[in-house]
Amino acid sequence: MSDASINTQVQTQEAGFGDYFALLKPRVMSLVVFTAMVGLLAAPVDVHPMVAFASILFIAVGGGASGALNMWFDSDIDAVMKRTQGRPIPAGKVTREEAFAIGITLSVFSCVMLALAANIFAGLLLAFTIFFYVVIYTMWLKRWTPQNIVIGGAAGAFPPMIGWAVATGGVSIESILMFTLTFMWTPPHFWALCLFMKSDYKDAGVPMLHVTNGRRSTRNHILVYTLLLAAVAIGMAFTGVGGPIYLTVALVLNGLFVAGAISIWRRDEETSEADGYKREKSFFALSLMYLFLHYGAILAEATLAPFGWGGW
Amino acid sequence: MSFRDDHELHGRRFGRNLGVALVLLAFIAIVFGLTVAKVTRGDYEPENARIQD
């Protein structure tokens, strides 16, 4: 949208409720809800269903608030990238000031409510997660280093730890392992996306790995991180949150994921362009199923444990 | 310039107000549910309250 007159016209639109809801990144929120719920249910402490429901909701609101603050700060980048041009701020439906106000209000609200509903530690962990995503990742790392997604991925990995903290009031090796699973999964997931999103990040001036170090290096990184991820994911099977169901799921998925990473690593740009980045796209799609099914298996182990079927 | 009742702008404003109203009602229901859960669980019995402090 280079035509200023068009932009001015668009910015006079009045936002509907859905436009404000879109600020909260509902798709990211669904991942937050699911992983936090698994963290909560996998913990070896019973939580009242109402407390569990409210806590998951407040964690989701906190995740949404950080999404709104991310859109506030990154509105200049979002306007350039094709993938994000339809977001409420670049689309002219919501102003930056509104996004900032909603983000800050919901951040404070969600942390205070989680502390009241569950415990203070869970509230503080949610506050740290929002701080990490908005300040450490969005404001600092994203525009500064090609390792942005590696370190910044921690923000998306905290929800299962918060869910666990809701139940137990603290941190344990199992919750740290769930954190590590999402943390190690994020880089190959995003780098695969970068490979077929082509010039989006370059146009926006974001120093993603494929922009600064080249696409060959990105393929190498995907393979290395996938191998490390596989070790963590399969190793989790032998901890308190694992069991035979999880082990089976982890072996199958990690076999497929490593095979996909090797396939991407062996390809060059000419081959990928020739088939429209088919392998990279299927690896990205598999990565979504990968995380969902791993957490689904942890949930299955926790749910079946009372009947004597889950766990070792 | 006056808007007719069925102007698209009014529809959008109505949707926004309705959304806010539903969110507030949901919040009231959640706080009520949490209160009932915590009171029936005995969180505010004197001995439990002391432990929490």
Side-chain angles (χ1 to χ4, degrees):
Chain A
M1 286 272 202
S2 58
D3 190 330
S5 64
I6 293 174
N7 237 354
T8 312
Q9 197 181 4
V10 169
Q11 277 169 359
T12 55
Q13 283 185 0
E14 191 156 320
F17 187 76
D19 297 316
Y20 292 108
F21 186 66
L23 278 177
L24 309 183
K25 297 192 179 180
R27 278 200 301 184
V28 177
M29 243 163 59
S30 64
L31 175 70
V32 168
V33 166
F34 183 60
T35 57
M37 186 186 74
V38 173
L40 194 154
L41 294 176
V45 180
D46 284 337
V47 181
H48 190 288
M50 186 63 216
V51 174
F53 169 76
S55 299
I56 298 292
L57 190 71
F58 296 134
I59 295 169
V61 172
S66 61
L69 290 171
N70 170 274
M71 286 199 202
W72 157 71
F73 192 81
D74 275 351
S75 58
D76 55 336
I77 293 176
D78 288 348
V80 177
M81 291 173 56
K82 287 188 194 78
R83 188 170 67 88
T84 53
Q85 273 171 351
R87 286 180 175 175
I89 299 176
K93 291 174 179 169
V94 176
T95 65
R96 288 187 77 233
E97 291 72 22
E98 282 178 312
F100 179 75
I102 289 170
I104 289 289
T105 307
L106 290 184
S107 294
V108 175
F109 168 82
S110 59
C111 295
V112 170
M113 287 308 298
L114 184 63
L116 290 171
N119 55 68
I120 291 172
F121 180 75
L124 288 173
L125 199 53
L126 179 62
F128 179 72
T129 305
I130 296 170
F131 168 80
F132 195 94
Y133 184 66
V134 176
V135 178
I136 306 291
Y137 170 68
T138 304
M139 294 184 178
W140 182 35
L141 296 171
K142 186 172 177 179
R143 297 172 192 236
W144 176 61
T145 168
Q147 296 299 315
N148 49 17
I149 207 64
V150 178
I151 311 164
F158 277 118
M161 276 185 87
I162 304 172
W164 185 278
V166 165
T168 65
V171 175
S172 73
I173 184 69
E174 288 88 354
S175 73
I176 291 171
L177 280 168
M178 283 190 277
F179 168 89
T180 313
L181 180 71
T182 314
F183 180 70
M184 295 304 297
W185 165 87
T186 308
H189 164 76
F190 256 96
W191 286 331
L193 174 75
C194 290
L195 284 177
F196 62 83
M197 285 309 286
K198 303 287 284 178
S199 62
D200 241 14
Y201 287 101
K202 192 177 181 183
D203 295 343
V206 179
M208 293 300 286
L209 189 69
H210 69 297
V211 176
T212 57
N213 294 32
R215 303 170 83 80
R216 178 71 260 162
S217 172
T218 307
R219 291 174 190 278
N220 298 343
H221 274 73
I222 287 175
L223 179 61
V224 172
Y225 273 84
T226 302
L227 291 172
L228 292 172
L229 170 66
V232 171
I234 294 170
M236 269 181 74
F238 305 102
T239 67
V241 292
I245 300 168
Y246 177 88
L247 180 62
T248 310
V249 170
L251 284 173
V252 172
L253 283 173
N254 284 282
L256 292 171
F257 213 47
V258 169
I262 291 172
S263 165
I264 287 178
W265 175 68
R266 291 175 64 178
R267 304 182 108 201
D268 53 25
E269 281 311 300
E270 289 73 36
T271 321
S272 294
E273 284 212 23
D275 68 0
Y277 292 87
K278 199 176 166 187
R279 296 272 172 82
E280 287 80 358
K281 285 176 182 171
S282 65
F283 182 82
F284 179 76
L286 175 65
S287 75
L288 296 170
M289 289 304 294
Y290 178 99
L291 199 69
F292 175 75
L293 290 176
H294 271 84
Y295 277 98
I298 295 171
L299 184 62
E301 296 285 0
T303 311
L304 294 174
F307 304 103
W309 293 330
W312 295 110
Chain B
M1 180 183 167
S2 61
F3 290 119
R4 294 215 321 259
D5 280 347
D6 58 349
H7 193 280
E8 190 251 346
L9 195 69
H10 287 109
R12 216 177 304 169
R13 279 186 187 164
F14 175 75
R16 207 167 60 194
N17 293 338
L18 186 67
V20 172
L22 290 175
V23 167
L24 288 174
L25 284 174
F27 178 60
I28 291 166
I30 286 164
V31 171
F32 179 71
L34 273 176
T35 308
V36 171
K38 283 178 175 271
V39 168
T40 53
R41 187 169 75 168
D43 278 14
Y44 301 109
E45 294 296 318
E47 60 270 25
N48 292 336
R50 268 200 302 277
I51 293 167
Q52 282 185 349
D53 289 339

